[in-house]
Amino acid sequence: MRTTLLLFCVFSLFSSLSRGSSIPFSPIVRSYSVSNYNAGIQNWSVAQDERGIMYIGNNKGLLEFDGNRWKLHELPTKNIVRTVYIGEDGKIFVGSFEEFGYFEHDSLGSLVYHSLKDEVKDFRFQNDEIWSIVPVQDEIVFQSFGSLFIYDGHTVRGIRTKSLPLNLFQVGDTFYSQLINEGLSIFINDGFEHLIDRKLLGDSDVMAGLSYDDGALLLTRNSGGFIYQHGKVVKWHTECDAELEKYTVNRVVMTKDSCYIIGTISNGVYAIDKKGRLLWKENTDSRLQNNTVLGLYCDADNNVWVALDEGIAYILNNSLVYYYEPPYRKIGMIYDVLVKEDEAYVASNQGVYRMKSGKLELVPGLEEQAWYVKEWGNQILCGHNKGTFQIAGLQASLISDVRGAMCMREIYHEGHPLLLQGTYTFLNLYKENASGVWSFLNSLGGFTHMVRGIEMDHRGNIWVKHLRKGLFRLRISPDLKRVEDLKMYMELGDVKDGNFSLFKINGRVVFSNGKAFYTYEDMTDSIIPYEVMNEQLPELKGINDVSHAGGHMYWFVSGRMAYLVKCEMNVFQIEHRIPFSLFEGLSIEERAAMVYDKGSKSSYLCLNNAIARIDADSSLLYKSSVKRSLWVSGITVEAEWTGKKKQLSVQEENKIEAEFSTVCFSLCYPVYNNYTYKVRYKLEGLNDQWVDNERSLEKKYTRLPFGSYVFKAEVYDGNQILASTTLPFVILRPWYLSYWAISGYVLAGLILLLLLQYIVYQSVKKKKDRVIEQQRIAHQAEIEQQEKKIIELEKEQLEADLRFKSKELSGVVMTNIAHQEFLNSLKEEIQQQKLSGQYTRKNLDKLLALVNNNIVSDEESWNMFQANFDRIHENFFRNLKQQYPDLTSGDLRFCALLRLNLPTKEIAKLLNISIRGVDAARYRLRKKFNLPQEDSLTDFMINFK
């Protein structure tokens, strides 16, 4: 047992010593204000249950916090909760003004308050306010300044004390109480026995006691600490006695690694080891939002909760990450830091600062932008906007006036070490003399670019990164005067003219374009994708800086997070993540950088006006044996149509009414020091795919149909599952889908089917009859159409026959006219012969009589011709006379002959006129028709209608 205790003490001592530094780093503080927890400003007490839930005594009641959600539980009296204690049975005991009792969870998981005040018999309350709750054996003791109330699990008895207890606390198996205006006493048998005289304790009140080896460490209000051991009181000396005496000790707690956390009234929190060395302190000069500490608690993960006069603070004491922010001045964005044993140098955009003995000073002459501060041999060199300087204490001497010295890297040229420096304009060389002092050699010719990074590969190629865009590969001439074999790379993958990253992993030069990693392949003299790294590190996007962290460890820094990656031969694995959300209020953008200190094996993260120290050795941390669980803390269901909501108890079999188809699960994962975990969900029965939900511990599903489901949730960090939970539930069938309803639906369906069948039959029958009637009507119409067509055909045939007969008749008439003309001419000839006397008169008269009997008058012949011509040519003469009423009968005859397309000679014969007479007649008709000279009169007659 003693060996174990000794080892633990040595471990604790080593742990505390390892946290010493020339920069006063302190733990990260997460602050919670009224706007976060929505209750009273003042907080008085803190406790944690076995599940990890935090409970805080607040001005408005009891605050509950699970790391994600705050909830306020008020007392019936609406008074302040001064003190909180959680019993072994899970009851949350609270004390207030003339009120005390406990909260416990009901079937819905909600806290319900049970008052114990009314259980006190035969006792009169007189301004009794409960300040302490302590378990004494099997009983719970509530302490006020004038009374004690003892609860045995069934009954409560009240005791009015003769002396006035200021407090009640336990150290080991002994219960102590500081009596007002008296010394320290022991609480035993429901009373107080005097133990230590007040004068031995600096004439000050003992505010708390803690274990110290096999004794007790007693912390007084204004006289510091005292060790009570083997009946003796000895002063406990610390590095901050004067501050503890000045700022008034109010609360004390001991961490799991034996660190004493002391809360003061006016200067925040101090962390001191057993030897009295100050490990860290937090106050308003750092990140604490208030200096008045009203309550302290060390949780299961060895981190410290602080109840403040204004707000609540969570101090990540058990963390690899500590940080420093100057309390009184803003030093700007930090680009580099050099930490030595007794001093440190910080390069920022406002200059170079030196810190020694807790004092931060600007190095004279090094105002303005400083890019780096590093140590080579015994020299501290600074790359500055004004040039390159050597620093010793607060003295800076210029060794190169080439402005804008942004980076420097040690290289080897033909086996000799050199320092190659990138500036705003040139590449500079520095050479080491025999005394080990580096001095400026010269600037290299043939290269004038802004260089922000330099690396050398195994082939001796020098790679430089432009400040804004592109990469260069080059070599240095043998005489160290010029740049040779210069090659420019302005694109990586699909990114052109980008601000690429340049770094070296295990001797291999690697590049990044913000989307993927690339490397140089010397066999093909080309830059190719680094497939293995891309496959194994898909999470690492937008990497701005990579630095070696010793061995196979490397820091990859993006704009949101720093990753500690183990890089072995083609095996890459993320070991640790540090989100920049840890550093609230510090704007970083893409300028954060990591610096590794080989001496302390610590890494320093350069932030805006702050520096974070990261210890890579996690063995220094307290390892909690408690593994936090993930569970469903509440189920809220909502009816879609009515908006009605209902809170359900979480059971092994959860049955939800059908109308509440919207289900919201509230989960609890009470882990407060992991800022990188994520949560994913899956609802079997709806979708078998995991859905990432970042860090939200609430999941809502809407319009879920009835059926059986299994809700699953997992908390994971990278590839590691930290916690998971499963909750089956059933959404019941709605009444209209119950088995009785379905049977009714089936019966109604059958009836409806029969009715439908009858209706269909009638409909088909009517349709069939209608089709038959339509077919009959169509057939009748077809017959009538055929008959009509036959009549039309017959009519057309008759008309055709009529036209044919008319044409024949016209021909006959024309023939008759010609015959008549012949007979007339013959008659005239006979008359002439008669007059000549060659034939007898009797014979000629007889012949003339015969001719006269066969001659038809011209008028009759033309009337007959006109009638038949009108019939054949569709009222030609009538239409012609209507349109041209001034036409004579001779004109009409001439037009008819033109329509028949007869030649001029035949027209002349038929009309018994000369050819010139025909032409004259044509001319007259043209004038009457107003026919242009170029148009044919015959065509006009033929086309006339």
Side-chain angles (χ1 to χ4, degrees):
M1 180 66 183
R2 290 183 178 179
T3 303
T4 303
L5 182 60
L6 179 61
L7 289 174
F8 181 78
C9 294
V10 172
F11 168 79
S12 300
L13 177 61
F14 174 77
S15 175
S16 62
L17 287 173
S18 68
R19 297 190 181 186
S21 173
S22 54
I23 300 177
F25 290 101
S26 59
I28 292 174
V29 177
R30 176 61 55 90
S31 297
Y32 301 99
S33 64
V34 174
S35 62
N36 298 118
Y37 55 76
N38 195 26
I41 295 177
Q42 285 183 311
N43 298 277
W44 297 90
S45 179
V46 185
Q48 185 180 36
D49 68 11
E50 61 180 6
R51 301 174 304 164
I53 305 295
M54 305 303 302
Y55 297 94
I56 297 98
N58 180 267
N59 269 9
K60 297 291 185 180
L62 179 69
L63 279 173
E64 178 184 0
F65 182 50
D66 63 5
N68 187 48
R69 287 177 293 272
W70 292 90
K71 188 181 296 183
L72 176 65
H73 306 277
E74 294 182 328
L75 297 179
T77 59
K78 308 291 185 182
N79 279 336
I80 299 171
V81 173
R82 295 286 187 187
T83 181
V84 181
Y85 168 76
I86 300 177
E88 294 180 356
D89 55 0
K91 293 179 179 178
I92 305 164
F93 294 93
V94 297
S96 182
F97 178 75
E98 294 189 351
E99 176 62 49
F100 60 95
Y102 62 89
F103 287 89
E104 64 179 351
H105 292 90
D106 62 9
S107 60
L108 294 176
S110 301
L111 286 180
V112 179
Y113 181 68
H114 301 273
S115 177
L116 295 176
K117 175 185 176 182
D118 295 336
E119 301 296 324
V120 183
K121 306 299 181 183
D122 302 326
F123 187 89
R124 181 182 178 185
F125 285 85
Q126 293 181 347
N127 298 322
D128 289 289
E129 187 156 15
I130 307 302
W131 288 92
S132 300
I133 304 174
V134 179
V136 179
Q137 297 177 353
D138 296 328
E139 297 177 324
I140 302 296
V141 178
F142 299 84
Q143 171 259 324
S144 75
F145 288 159
S147 305
L148 298 175
F149 303 95
I150 301 173
Y151 173 61
D152 62 5
H154 302 285
T155 61
V156 183
R157 63 184 186 273
I159 301 174
R160 182 68 66 186
T161 61
K162 296 179 180 179
S163 299
L164 303 179
L166 178 66
N167 50 36
L168 185 63
F169 57 89
Q170 180 180 6
V171 180
D173 296 328
T174 305
F175 295 89
Y176 300 87
S177 178
Q178 172 66 53
L179 302 181
I180 296 176
N181 297 325
E182 299 182 30
L184 187 68
S185 298
I186 296 176
F187 176 72
I188 188 170
N189 298 326
D190 296 347
F192 299 104
E193 292 184 3
H194 179 75
L195 180 66
I196 303 175
D197 190 74
R198 185 180 181 88
K199 292 182 179 181
L200 296 177
L201 299 171
D203 198 22
S204 183
D205 294 325
V206 176
M207 302 305 296
L210 301 170
S211 295
Y212 188 94
D213 294 340
D214 56 350
L217 175 62
L218 306 175
L219 277 301
T220 65
R221 189 190 302 271
N222 293 106
S223 297
F226 295 86
I227 299 172
Y228 176 69
Q229 198 170 29
H230 308 302
K232 295 181 180 180
V233 178
V234 179
K235 177 66 177 175
W236 182 56
H237 295 285
T238 72
E239 293 178 350
C240 49
D241 279 345
E243 294 184 47
L244 295 181
E245 294 172 7
K246 177 181 178 181
Y247 296 122
T248 307
V249 174
N250 192 40
R251 293 288 184 267
V252 180
V253 71
M254 186 170 70
T255 63
K256 305 267 185 311
D257 54 357
S258 299
C259 171
Y260 299 115
I261 309 297
I262 302 172
T264 67
I265 290 295
S266 54
N267 200 40
V269 182
Y270 293 78
I272 304 173
D273 67 7
K274 282 189 174 183
K275 300 297 183 181
R277 288 173 293 204
L278 177 66
L279 303 179
W280 52 262
K281 67 178 179 180
E282 294 283 3
N283 53 33
T284 53
D285 290 339
S286 51
R287 282 317 215 48
L288 213 60
Q289 56 187 334
N290 185 265
N291 277 337
T292 301
V293 178
L294 302 179
L296 287 173
Y297 185 84
C298 180
D299 66 14
D301 294 316
N302 203 34
N303 295 309
V304 178
W305 292 82
V306 186
L308 296 168
D309 190 56
E310 182 180 345
I312 302 165
Y314 175 57
I315 301 177
L316 279 77
N317 171 70
N318 192 44
S319 172
L320 293 173
V321 184
Y322 274 46
Y323 89 113
Y324 168 74
E325 183 176 2
Y328 304 115
R329 66 188 304 170
K330 300 295 183 181
I331 62 175
M333 184 66 204
I334 296 174
Y335 287 86
D336 200 2
V337 59
L338 175 63
V339 179
K340 299 174 67 65
E341 185 176 350
D342 59 347
E343 64 178 354
Y345 294 91
V346 178
S348 79
N349 62 357
Q350 296 184 14
V352 177
Y353 293 85
R354 177 184 183 241
M355 174 166 283
K356 187 176 180 65
S357 302
K359 185 178 181 181
L360 187 68
E361 297 179 86
L362 183 62
V363 177
L366 295 185
E367 301 82 0
E368 302 179 16
Q369 174 76 56
W371 291 98
Y372 65 85
V373 54
K374 297 192 180 298
E375 187 173 26
W376 275 278
N378 295 322
Q379 285 176 279
I380 298 176
L381 300 182
C382 168
H384 195 271
N385 188 48
K386 300 176 183 178
T388 306
F389 293 82
Q390 178 175 324
I391 303 175
L394 290 174
Q395 302 295 320
S397 55
L398 183 69
I399 60 175
S400 169
D401 60 358
V402 179
R403 295 180 62 84
M406 290 190 286
C407 60
M408 183 176 280
R409 180 73 67 184
E410 185 174 14
I411 64 171
Y412 285 87
H413 186 269
E414 298 180 356
H416 300 288
L418 296 169
L419 292 180
L420 181 61
Q421 182 184 61
T423 69
Y424 294 162
T425 51
F426 302 109
L427 285 173
N428 296 334
L429 282 178
Y430 291 78
K431 193 172 184 180
E432 187 180 23
N433 61 19
S435 302
V437 177
W438 292 94
S439 60
F440 177 74
L441 182 62
N442 58 263
S443 296
L444 296 175
F447 187 92
T448 55
H449 294 282
M450 305 171 73
V451 175
R452 188 67 181 94
I454 301 172
E455 294 290 352
M456 173 178 273
D457 64 22
H458 66 286
R459 297 291 299 272
N461 296 311
I462 297 173
W463 295 85
V464 298
K465 163 185 153 35
H466 192 279
L467 178 64
R468 300 300 180 198
K469 61 179 182 179
L471 299 164
F472 299 90
R473 191 192 69 192
L474 54 91
R475 287 179 176 270
I476 300 175
S477 63
D479 61 358
L480 304 179
K481 298 293 185 182
R482 296 186 55 80
V483 165
E484 296 180 341
D485 301 332
L486 179 65
K487 186 174 182 180
M488 180 184 299
Y489 298 86
M490 298 307 295
E491 60 181 80
L492 281 179
D494 58 353
V495 179
K496 296 181 179 180
D497 298 333
N499 187 10
F500 305 135
S501 298
L502 167 66
F503 49 94
K504 192 154 63 173
I505 302 291
N506 294 331
R508 188 182 192 118
V509 174
V510 182
F511 319 97
S512 173
N513 63 358
K515 297 180 179 179
F517 296 107
Y518 296 81
T519 187
Y520 174 67
E521 176 56 62
D522 52 5
M523 298 292 293
T524 59
D525 188 27
S526 61
I527 295 178
I528 61 173
Y530 201 167
E531 299 292 355
V532 177
M533 182 177 283
N534 290 325
E535 291 174 2
Q536 297 182 23
L537 300 175
E539 181 182 346
L540 271 61
K541 305 293 184 184
I543 297 300
N544 306 314
D545 182 70
V546 177
S547 59
H548 191 208
H552 294 290
M553 308 304 291
Y554 290 83
W555 283 108
F556 287 68
V557 182
S558 71
R560 299 186 304 110
M561 189 174 295
Y563 304 85
L564 183 62
V565 182
K566 188 175 184 179
C567 303
E568 296 181 317
M569 186 62 67
N570 290 330
V571 178
F572 304 93
Q573 182 175 351
I574 298 175
E575 297 288 327
H576 194 59
R577 295 174 178 83
I578 299 177
F580 295 160
S581 58
L582 272 175
F583 315 105
E584 294 178 327
L586 299 180
S587 58
I588 298 169
E589 296 179 350
E590 300 176 354
R591 297 180 290 175
M594 194 73 74
V595 179
Y596 179 68
D597 181 18
K598 295 181 180 179
S600 64
K601 296 183 179 179
S602 294
S603 299
Y604 298 93
L605 179 61
C606 300
L607 303 168
N608 190 9
N609 197 54
I611 307 167
R613 186 195 67 198
I614 304 161
D615 294 322
D617 188 2
S618 61
S619 65
L620 301 176
L621 301 179
Y622 170 78
K623 300 298 188 300
S624 175
S625 60
V626 178
K627 183 179 180 181
R628 292 300 174 203
S629 301
L630 173 70
W631 71 88
V632 178
S633 59
I635 303 175
T636 304
V637 295
E638 180 179 353
E640 179 182 0
W641 301 111
T642 64
K644 181 181 178 182
K645 292 185 178 181
K646 186 190 296 185
Q647 186 75 27
L648 303 181
S649 60
V650 181
Q651 303 174 356
E652 292 184 1
E653 294 184 3
N654 299 275
K655 295 183 178 180
I656 302 173
E657 298 173 27
E659 64 173 312
F660 297 99
S661 59
T662 296
V663 184
C664 182
F665 297 93
S666 297
L667 290 94
C668 187
Y669 183 60
V671 172
Y672 311 94
N673 58 353
N674 186 335
Y675 294 88
T676 60
Y677 75 77
K678 294 182 180 180
V679 188
R680 58 191 175 202
Y681 301 98
K682 180 167 67 173
L683 186 61
E684 294 182 355
L686 179 68
N687 194 325
D688 290 335
Q689 298 294 323
W690 287 101
V691 177
D692 289 328
N693 206 30
E694 292 298 325
R695 293 174 63 87
S696 175
L697 288 168
E698 189 170 276
K699 185 63 178 175
K700 186 176 184 179
Y701 296 96
T702 59
R703 298 183 180 179
L704 291 177
F706 72 88
S708 298
Y709 300 91
V710 179
F711 173 72
K712 293 185 176 181
E714 289 182 350
V715 174
Y716 67 98
D717 191 353
N719 297 323
Q720 182 182 7
I721 297 176
L722 304 178
S724 63
T725 187
T726 300
L727 184 69
F729 67 97
V730 176
I731 295 183
L732 301 175
R733 289 173 175 266
W735 62 268
Y736 51 84
L737 290 178
S738 64
Y739 293 112
W740 286 107
I742 292 174
S743 300
Y745 298 151
V746 172
L747 180 60
L750 291 174
I751 296 173
L752 184 62
L753 184 61
L754 293 175
L755 180 62
L756 184 63
Q757 186 175 6
Y758 175 75
I759 293 173
V760 170
Y761 170 74
Q762 292 296 325
S763 177
V764 170
K765 184 175 181 301
K766 289 181 180 180
K767 187 176 181 180
K768 186 175 181 181
D769 293 343
R770 188 165 56 252
V771 170
I772 293 173
E773 179 64 19
Q774 289 175 349
Q775 289 177 347
R776 186 190 67 76
I777 295 172
H779 182 66
Q780 184 66 30
E782 185 177 352
I783 293 173
E784 293 177 354
Q785 184 71 20
Q786 290 178 353
E787 290 176 351
K788 185 177 180 181
K789 187 178 290 186
I790 290 172
I791 292 171
E792 290 178 352
L793 289 174
E794 289 176 349
K795 182 179 178 181
E796 290 176 359
Q797 184 63 39
L798 288 174
E799 291 177 350
D801 292 344
L802 180 60
R803 285 194 297 272
F804 179 74
K805 295 299 182 181
S806 298
K807 288 180 180 180
E808 285 183 342
L809 180 59
S810 297
V812 171
V813 170
M814 294 299 294
T815 302
N816 287 338
I817 292 172
H819 183 257
Q820 187 71 19
E821 291 176 351
F822 168 73
L823 291 178
N824 287 328
S825 62
L826 180 61
K827 178 181 175 181
E828 291 177 356
E829 181 65 29
I830 293 173
Q831 287 177 345
Q832 290 178 0
Q833 292 296 331
K834 180 179 176 181
L835 293 175
S836 64
Q838 293 182 0
Y839 296 94
T840 63
R841 188 176 184 87
K842 183 179 180 181
N843 290 336
L844 290 174
D845 287 337
K846 185 178 181 179
L847 184 59
L848 287 172
L850 182 61
V851 171
N852 286 331
N853 291 334
N854 288 281
I855 290 177
V856 181
S857 67
D858 290 343
E859 190 65 30
E860 290 178 358
S861 295
W862 278 110
N863 287 339
M864 186 183 297
F865 173 79
Q866 183 175 344
N868 284 284
F869 194 87
D870 255 358
R871 186 179 301 163
I872 295 170
H873 293 278
E874 299 175 354
N875 299 319
F876 173 77
F877 290 111
R878 185 183 302 173
N879 294 336
L880 191 62
K881 190 66 175 176
Q882 286 178 354
Q883 293 186 33
Y884 302 99
D886 57 342
L887 294 176
T888 64
S889 59
D891 293 335
L892 293 175
R893 292 172 186 173
F894 193 82
C895 289
L897 295 178
L898 288 175
R899 187 177 180 87
L900 292 175
N901 199 18
L902 295 178
T904 301
K905 288 184 178 181
E906 291 186 8
I907 293 173
K909 288 181 179 180
L910 289 173
L911 297 179
N912 197 21
I913 59 176
S914 64
I915 292 175
R916 293 190 64 180
V918 172
D919 292 336
R922 284 178 181 273
Y923 177 74
R924 287 194 306 272
L925 286 177
R926 278 184 175 277
K927 291 187 67 176
K928 290 182 179 182
F929 293 151
N930 291 322
L931 192 66
Q933 187 65 34
E934 62 271 11
D935 291 347
S936 171
L937 180 61
T938 302
D939 292 341
F940 177 76
M941 287 292 104
I942 291 172
N943 296 324
F944 180 80
K945 292 183 179 180

Coordinates of all heavy atoms in Angstrom, one line a residue, residues 15 29 207 237 327 389 416 453 496 515 517 673 696 746 767 819 834 870 889-890 910 933:
S15 N 4.0 14.8 -12.9 CA 2.9 15.4 -13.7 C 2.9 16.9 -13.5 O 2.8 17.7 -14.4 CB 1.6 14.8 -13.3 OG 0.5 15.5 -14.0
V29 N -10.9 27.0 -20.2 CA -12.1 27.3 -19.4 C -13.3 27.4 -20.4 O -13.2 28.2 -21.3 CB -12.0 28.6 -18.6 CG1 -13.3 28.8 -17.8 CG2 -10.8 28.4 -17.6
M207 N -12.3 27.2 6.2 CA -13.4 27.1 5.2 C -13.6 25.7 4.7 O -14.7 25.4 4.2 CB -13.1 28.1 4.1 CG -12.9 29.5 4.5 SD -14.3 30.2 5.5 CE -15.6 30.1 4.2
H237 N 3.1 26.1 3.6 CA 3.6 27.2 2.8 C 3.4 26.9 1.3 O 3.7 25.8 0.8 CB 5.1 27.4 3.1 CG 5.3 27.8 4.5 ND1 5.0 29.1 5.0 CD2 5.8 27.1 5.6 CE1 5.3 29.2 6.3 NE2 5.8 28.0 6.7
P327 N -2.9 38.8 -20.3 CA -4.0 39.5 -19.6 C -4.2 40.9 -19.9 O -5.4 41.4 -19.9 CB -3.7 39.2 -18.2 CG -2.3 39.1 -18.1 CD -1.8 38.5 -19.4
F389 N 17.4 39.1 -37.5 CA 18.0 39.6 -36.3 C 18.5 38.4 -35.4 O 17.9 37.3 -35.4 CB 17.0 40.4 -35.5 CG 16.7 41.7 -36.1 CD1 15.7 41.7 -37.1 CD2 17.3 42.9 -35.8 CE1 15.3 42.9 -37.7 CE2 17.0 44.1 -36.4 CZ 16.0 44.1 -37.4
H416 N 27.7 19.8 -46.6 CA 27.9 20.9 -45.6 C 26.6 21.5 -45.2 O 25.8 21.8 -46.1 CB 28.9 21.9 -46.2 CG 30.2 21.4 -46.5 ND1 31.2 21.0 -45.6 CD2 30.8 21.2 -47.7 CE1 32.2 20.6 -46.2 NE2 32.1 20.6 -47.5
G453 N 7.8 28.8 -47.5 CA 8.2 27.5 -46.9 C 9.3 26.9 -47.8 O 9.4 27.1 -49.0
K496 N -5.4 25.5 -59.8 CA -4.4 26.3 -60.5 C -4.1 27.5 -59.7 O -5.0 28.1 -59.1 CB -4.8 26.6 -61.9 CG -5.0 25.4 -62.8 CD -5.4 25.8 -64.2 CE -5.6 24.6 -65.1 NZ -5.9 25.0 -66.5
K515 N -7.4 19.9 -51.3 CA -8.4 18.9 -51.5 C -7.7 17.5 -51.4 O -8.4 16.5 -51.0 CB -8.9 19.0 -52.9 CG -9.7 20.3 -53.2 CD -10.2 20.3 -54.6 CE -11.0 21.6 -54.9 NZ -11.5 21.6 -56.3
F517 N -3.6 15.2 -51.2 CA -2.2 15.2 -51.0 C -1.5 14.7 -52.3 O -2.0 13.8 -53.0 CB -1.8 14.3 -49.8 CG -2.3 14.8 -48.5 CD1 -3.4 14.1 -47.9 CD2 -1.8 16.0 -47.9 CE1 -3.9 14.6 -46.7 CE2 -2.3 16.4 -46.7 CZ -3.4 15.7 -46.1
N673 N -15.7 16.9 -21.8 CA -14.3 17.2 -22.2 C -14.0 16.6 -23.5 O -12.8 16.6 -23.9 CB -13.4 16.7 -21.1 CG -13.5 15.2 -20.9 OD1 -14.4 14.5 -21.4 ND2 -12.6 14.6 -20.1
S696 N -25.5 16.9 -32.5 CA -26.8 17.1 -31.9 C -27.3 15.8 -31.3 O -27.2 14.7 -31.8 CB -27.8 17.4 -33.0 OG -29.1 17.5 -32.5
V746 N -63.6 -5.5 -45.5 CA -63.7 -6.7 -46.5 C -65.1 -7.0 -46.8 O -65.5 -7.2 -48.0 CB -63.0 -7.9 -45.8 CG1 -63.2 -9.2 -46.7 CG2 -61.5 -7.7 -45.7
K767 N -74.6 -0.6 -72.8 CA -73.6 -0.3 -73.8 C -73.7 -1.2 -75.1 O -73.6 -0.7 -76.2 CB -72.2 -0.4 -73.2 CG -71.1 0.1 -74.1 CD -69.8 0.1 -73.3 CE -68.6 0.6 -74.2 NZ -67.3 0.5 -73.5
H819 N -75.9 23.2 -144.0 CA -76.8 22.6 -145.0 C -77.7 23.7 -145.5 O -78.0 23.9 -146.7 CB -77.5 21.4 -144.5 CG -78.4 20.8 -145.5 ND1 -79.8 20.9 -145.6 CD2 -78.1 20.0 -146.6 CE1 -80.3 20.3 -146.6 NE2 -79.2 19.6 -147.3
K834 N -82.3 30.4 -163.7 CA -83.7 30.6 -164.2 C -83.7 31.9 -165.0 O -84.3 32.0 -166.1 CB -84.6 30.6 -163.1 CG -86.1 30.8 -163.5 CD -87.0 30.8 -162.2 CE -88.4 31.1 -162.7 NZ -89.3 31.2 -161.5
D870 N -76.4 26.7 -124.7 CA -76.6 27.1 -123.3 C -76.7 25.9 -122.4 O -76.2 25.9 -121.3 CB -77.9 28.0 -123.2 CG -77.5 29.5 -123.0 OD1 -76.3 29.7 -122.9 OD2 -78.4 30.3 -122.9
S889 N -76.9 40.2 -130.8 CA -77.0 38.8 -131.1 C -75.9 38.3 -132.0 O -75.4 37.2 -131.8 CB -78.4 38.6 -131.8 OG -78.4 39.3 -133.0
G890 N -75.4 39.2 -132.9 CA -74.3 38.8 -133.7 C -73.0 38.6 -132.8 O -72.2 37.7 -133.1
L910 N -69.2 30.4 -141.6 CA -70.5 30.3 -140.9 C -71.2 31.6 -140.8 O -72.5 31.6 -140.8 CB -70.2 29.7 -139.5 CG -69.8 28.2 -139.4 CD1 -69.4 27.8 -138.0 CD2 -70.9 27.3 -139.9
Q933 N -54.4 43.8 -124.6 CA -53.9 43.4 -125.9 C -53.2 42.0 -125.8 O -53.3 41.2 -126.7 CB -53.0 44.4 -126.5 CG -52.6 44.1 -128.0 CD -53.8 44.2 -128.9 OE1 -54.7 45.0 -128.7 NE2 -53.8 43.3 -129.9

